[in-house]
Amino acid sequence: MGEEAANGGGVAGSAIAASYDDQIRPLLDAVDRLRHLKVTQVGIQLPTIVVVGDQSSGKSSVLESLAGISLPRGQGICTRVPLVMRLQDDPSADEPELRLEYGSGSVAATTEAEVADAINAATAEIAGSGKGISDAPITLVVRKRGVPDLTLVDLPGITRVPVQGQPEDIYDQVARIIREYIAPRESIILNVLSATVDFPTCESIRMSQQVDRTGERTLAVVTKSDRAPEGLLDKVTADDVNIGLGYVCVRNRIGDETYDQARAEEERLFSHHPLLSKMDKSMVGIPAAIIARCLPDIVKQINDRLSHSSEELDRMPPQLNNVADAVRVFFHIVKQACTSLEKVLLRGDFEEYPDRLEFHGMARIAEMLRDYAKKLPAECPPNDQLFLMEEVRILEETKGISLPNFLPRSAFLVMLKKKVQTIGRVPQGLVNGVWEYVEDLVMKILMKHSDDFPQVQPSCRRAVQSLMDKARARSAQHVRELIEMELVADYTANPDYMKTWTEIMEGHEKLMEAVEDACKPSRITLRGFGEVDVSHLRAHADLAGKAFDLRARLTAYWKSIVLRLVDGLALHVLLSVKRLVEKDLEEDLGNELLGNKFAGVERMLAPSPSVAAKRERLSNSIVLLRQSKEVVANIMDRISTAGEQV
């Protein structure tokens, strides 16, 4: 075995190895370097060579020729579970190092002499001691001088007819495992074909064509070339089965031949055999330019991922080195939040949140104002008493020593106060609802813009809550003043008052006739009140006229009261929201975070663990992707140069 290692680990002299060393090794070395860089951790999919073939096609012999180690052989299915072979060239290795990894973390060191038995034992542990199969893989890591840096997956051989001890659905089980491994576009299918059969009849060809119709990621290794040399040249030249990546023809190791002996026999066969010696080396070898088709896709993946990671890193919060940096970033956050709030609350511009109705601030406040106006009764609130009896009782209690045809002003004010008090809670309900909504909206937008600095968000919350408490207090005071203003005097310059009063008073004469003349109908229709019964007023004929006048004045004046309560409160809300967005929010946030010797913004200098971890991950990803990009660029240059030299 020492002589074998010195000569390249049993690989350098074979036909498949010669083609590999000359053209393919640089490409696959590059892929393996990308794998060692762990580029798959950043989402880059690398090509994997998946070995498939019909039962007894010689798959294990092909793998042996690459790895220079003995694998399980025999009749029937020798490979009963996926075998992932990771070959790692180690020029300094005096002795090969082999280990098996399988199951839930099981690791078993082994040797070249015992590896076949170790694989059989691990297979039995996974798939049982019979002839059943499993999709749970075994990984064989081989560190050895002269082997290619390569990862391959050997799959169970395809068999249609179950033998004794095999499950009846053995074909379906094998086919499912094979399809799982060869379906991904990153998989390069190494289809092992026996020279002794017609290629179109091979089940492995049919399966690979199902997922790779053009053959652009399928290459073929033709085994047992020495057993059926006649017509082999025509078969690989005609390519009836559409093998896009070409053919490699090999001779299997026979019996107890050493790898040196097998290499020598293989070289003699293809050099001196009357038929096999006619094969063109370019036909037998694997064209690197064809396999290299997978590289542009890798380059695109790397560029896309690099661009995405760079953009994401650029969007990360800046690293702050001192308090001045923190203050600058803090005011930038406040400016962004205020700009967003100005759009949604003052300008009705919701381009930042087109599909989130709760962020359309101006529309939501307008809805609250409309609902508020509807809650205020358009007509003077009636009572449950008989028509005008409330007014009669008030007039009786406010009568004094005066001329009989004068309406006491105190009666009007008493009635006015009672009516205004019935709606006193409605304005307060509006401002409570508005500030509850505005607080929630301000908090959400501010948290969004300060998301990169969660360490200052508690202070921002306190500032907003304090600001909203002051806004609520100002609005509550304004509502109280609105109500008090309505009670302090009965005044309006609205011309509609006199117009409405005059129109209602046109029914005064009709009312008095029905009250004073018991022969007339007691049910009459009056403008502004509809059909009413006045029979009960005949006992109060002396006050009925004044009571009607009092009701007419209240009805006409009520429209002015409602108008003032709606318009005045709406303007107050809009002004308060405008002042909050344009002035108060920035001031209160500044006082909260910049006070006490900038204690609030100093917390921004210490990034949160999640932000720090994300920045480190993105930075490492960018370094890794740039290294990977350089690896691929170098190998593509080498392939291009080699192609020009040829």
Side-chain angles (χ1 to χ4, degrees):
M1 190 63 67
E3 179 184 355
E4 183 182 316
N7 284 284
V11 182
S14 65
I16 185 173
S19 172
Y20 174 91
D21 284 332
D22 292 343
Q23 302 180 63
I24 306 307
R25 180 164 191 153
L27 172 63
L28 297 182
D29 280 354
V31 172
D32 203 66
R33 283 187 62 193
L34 293 177
R35 185 173 285 109
H36 285 175
L37 285 172
K38 298 183 179 179
V39 73
T40 54
Q41 293 183 357
V42 292
I44 305 301
Q45 300 298 321
L46 297 178
T48 298
I49 296 180
V50 180
V51 184
V52 299
D54 290 6
Q55 182 176 310
S56 303
S57 60
K59 293 189 294 82
S60 296
S61 297
V62 171
L63 296 174
E64 286 181 343
S65 69
L66 285 171
I69 60 174
S70 297
L71 298 174
R73 289 184 169 197
Q75 297 297 318
I77 297 181
C78 302
T79 305
R80 298 194 291 128
V81 299
L83 177 63
V84 181
M85 293 186 60
R86 300 195 186 281
L87 308 181
Q88 301 172 357
D89 181 26
D90 186 356
S92 64
D94 295 327
E95 293 292 335
E97 296 180 14
L98 289 77
R99 72 174 184 274
L100 289 178
E101 302 171 355
Y102 60 95
S104 56
S106 298
V107 179
T110 185
T111 64
E112 286 186 290
E114 299 172 346
V115 66
D117 292 337
I119 292 174
N120 284 332
T123 299
E125 185 175 332
I126 293 173
S129 57
K131 296 183 179 180
I133 66 171
S134 171
D135 59 0
I138 296 173
T139 298
L140 172 61
V141 181
V142 179
R143 291 180 60 85
K144 184 178 180 181
R145 183 189 305 166
V147 298
D149 288 301
L150 184 61
T151 298
L152 308 97
V153 181
D154 183 24
L155 299 176
I158 304 167
T159 179
R160 278 200 169 274
V161 181
V163 299
Q164 185 177 5
Q166 290 180 339
E168 290 297 323
D169 63 343
I170 185 67
Y171 172 80
D172 294 333
Q173 291 188 35
V174 172
R176 179 179 56 79
I177 294 174
I178 290 176
R179 279 193 292 268
E180 179 182 343
Y181 278 88
I182 67 176
R185 290 191 55 81
E186 300 80 35
S187 296
I188 295 177
I189 305 169
L190 195 156
N191 211 319
V192 179
L193 308 172
S194 173
T196 61
V197 301
D198 291 334
F199 296 165
T201 67
C202 294
E203 188 66 21
S204 63
I205 287 292
R206 190 182 70 83
M207 286 190 181
S208 63
Q209 288 179 338
Q210 288 176 350
V211 298
D212 183 29
R213 294 187 179 279
T214 63
E216 63 182 358
R217 55 188 181 91
T218 301
L219 58 91
V221 175
V222 182
T223 61
K224 307 177 184 179
S225 300
D226 54 329
R227 297 188 188 180
E230 293 79 8
L232 182 56
L233 178 58
D234 293 335
K235 289 166 72 173
V236 298
T237 303
D239 189 22
D240 294 333
V241 292
N242 210 22
I243 302 296
L245 299 185
Y247 294 82
V248 177
C249 297
V250 300
R251 170 191 177 275
N252 294 62
R253 187 166 63 93
I254 300 174
D256 295 329
E257 283 182 343
T258 65
Y259 291 107
D260 283 343
Q261 291 170 340
R263 288 199 311 275
E265 289 299 323
E266 183 178 68
E267 183 178 0
R268 186 180 305 109
L269 176 68
F270 286 99
S271 297
H272 303 293
H273 191 280
L275 296 176
L276 299 180
S277 62
K278 295 179 181 180
M279 286 190 176
D280 191 298
K281 299 302 180 186
S282 63
M283 182 186 304
V284 176
I286 307 171
I290 297 177
I291 292 185
R293 290 174 186 168
C294 63
L295 286 182
D297 184 59
I298 295 176
V299 172
K300 183 179 183 304
Q301 289 185 59
I302 291 175
N303 287 335
D304 290 347
R305 184 62 61 176
L306 183 59
S307 175
H308 176 76
S309 296
S310 298
E311 291 174 0
E312 194 173 357
L313 184 62
D314 290 340
R315 291 194 297 268
M316 290 283 291
Q319 288 185 297
L320 307 180
N321 300 315
N322 49 53
V323 172
D325 287 346
V327 170
R328 175 179 52 80
V329 171
F330 165 71
F331 277 113
H332 179 68
I333 291 171
V334 174
K335 181 65 176 177
Q336 285 183 314
C338 289
T339 299
S340 294
L341 289 167
E342 180 186 5
K343 288 180 179 179
V344 298
L345 284 172
L346 304 183
R347 289 160 38 193
D349 179 353
F350 49 83
E351 62 176 358
E352 288 185 52
Y353 314 96
D355 301 319
R356 301 184 64 180
L357 300 184
E358 71 274 18
F359 280 82
H360 302 177
M362 179 174 282
R364 301 291 80 77
I365 293 178
E367 288 176 353
M368 294 182 196
L369 290 172
R370 283 195 296 271
D371 292 341
Y372 162 65
K374 291 178 182 178
K375 290 178 181 178
L376 290 173
E379 304 295 336
C380 185
N383 54 58
D384 297 331
Q385 301 179 29
L386 297 173
F387 182 60
L388 296 184
M389 285 307 296
E390 182 182 16
E391 285 80 359
V392 168
R393 292 191 177 92
I394 295 296
L395 287 169
E396 287 178 340
E397 296 303 317
T398 55
K399 62 187 177 183
I401 302 174
S402 62
L403 294 175
N405 61 341
F406 276 85
L407 183 67
R409 184 167 179 269
S410 58
F412 180 82
L413 293 178
V414 169
M415 289 290 297
L416 176 64
K417 181 176 181 180
K418 291 180 65 175
K419 301 302 181 183
V420 170
Q421 286 176 339
T422 63
I423 61 168
R425 294 185 179 181
V426 179
Q428 188 59 52
L430 169 69
V431 295
N432 288 344
V434 167
W435 289 122
E436 181 180 354
Y437 169 74
V438 171
E439 178 176 357
D440 182 65
L441 182 62
V442 170
M443 203 74 80
K444 286 178 178 177
I445 289 179
L446 186 57
M447 293 303 104
K448 170 181 174 288
H449 288 291
S450 63
D451 189 53
D452 291 332
F453 297 95
Q455 59 271 44
V456 300
Q457 288 184 338
S459 297
C460 292
R461 287 182 182 277
R462 286 195 300 272
V464 171
Q465 289 168 351
S466 173
L467 177 61
M468 292 303 164
D469 288 342
K470 289 185 285 187
R472 287 189 183 91
R474 284 196 298 266
S475 292
Q477 178 63 27
H478 183 77
V479 168
R480 286 193 295 272
E481 290 176 353
L482 279 178
I483 299 300
E484 289 174 3
M485 284 189 292
E486 296 302 333
L487 300 177
V488 74
D490 48 339
Y491 170 79
T492 182
N494 188 346
D496 283 345
Y497 167 73
M498 286 302 300
K499 179 184 176 193
T500 302
W501 178 78
T502 301
E503 291 173 348
I504 294 174
M505 289 300 292
E506 288 176 357
H508 182 269
E509 183 177 351
K510 185 177 182 180
L511 169 76
M512 294 309 298
E513 288 179 356
V515 169
E516 293 173 346
D517 188 349
C519 296
K520 290 185 177 292
S522 63
R523 298 193 69 82
I524 60 175
T525 300
L526 297 174
R527 184 170 184 172
F529 306 111
E531 185 177 311
V532 296
D533 184 0
V534 299
S535 59
H536 57 279
L537 293 175
R538 289 170 178 170
H540 306 280
D542 59 328
L543 295 176
K546 290 183 178 180
F548 184 74
D549 187 4
L550 183 56
R551 173 67 69 91
R553 293 175 188 275
L554 278 172
T555 301
Y557 188 55
W558 186 257
K559 294 182 178 179
S560 297
I561 293 175
V562 171
L563 186 62
R564 284 196 293 257
L565 289 178
V566 172
D567 291 351
L569 196 53
L571 292 173
H572 165 78
V573 166
L574 296 178
L575 176 62
S576 299
V577 171
K578 184 175 186 293
R579 183 167 55 194
L580 178 143
V581 172
E582 294 181 349
K583 178 176 178 290
D584 295 347
L585 181 60
E586 183 174 349
E587 285 185 1
D588 282 45
L589 287 171
N591 292 337
E592 176 69 30
L593 277 88
L594 301 181
N596 193 20
K597 299 181 180 180
F598 301 97
V601 293
E602 278 188 344
R603 289 193 289 272
M604 298 173 66
L605 298 178
S608 68
S610 60
V611 171
K614 183 177 181 182
R615 187 190 304 279
E616 182 179 6
R617 176 178 59 79
L618 288 173
S619 299
N620 292 340
S621 173
I622 289 172
V623 171
L624 172 61
L625 288 166
R626 285 173 176 165
Q627 291 175 344
S628 303
K629 187 175 182 180
E630 183 178 356
V631 167
V632 177
N634 289 340
I635 192 59
M636 291 187 73
D637 289 343
R638 288 175 60 185
I639 291 174
S640 176
T641 302
E644 292 174 359
Q645 292 175 349
V646 172

